[in-house]
Amino acid sequence: MADAEQRAHDPGEQAGLPERVHVDLPRVRPEDMTTTQAVAPPPDPEGGRDPETEFVLRNAGL
């Protein structure tokens, strides 16, 4: 386990990283990460009603 930790912190291991890892995908800048679709807020799932209050009033026995 100590050998693995030593290799993880060895600068020689990191120096060869670009030669060992090759990815053909271009880098994506954070400025380019935007939505391309117009979005709208979802509809109200309760339709403007308050189900908790209605439950209390319905079952209060008034």
Side-chain angles (χ1 to χ4, degrees):
M1 180 101 143
D3 293 333
E5 291 175 1
Q6 180 64 25
R7 279 185 273 137
H9 298 292
D10 185 17
E13 289 286 321
Q14 296 294 325
L17 187 62
E19 290 80 30
R20 290 185 291 129
V21 178
H22 179 71
V23 179
D24 289 332
L25 300 174
R27 291 188 60 88
V28 178
R29 299 179 312 178
E31 302 87 45
D32 296 336
M33 295 181 194
T34 59
T35 60
T36 58
Q37 300 174 353
V39 294
D44 183 13
E46 289 145 0
R49 300 174 73 178
D50 185 11
E52 285 83 16
T53 303
E54 290 178 6
F55 175 80
V56 170
L57 293 175
R58 190 171 44 244
N59 296 305
L62 298 174

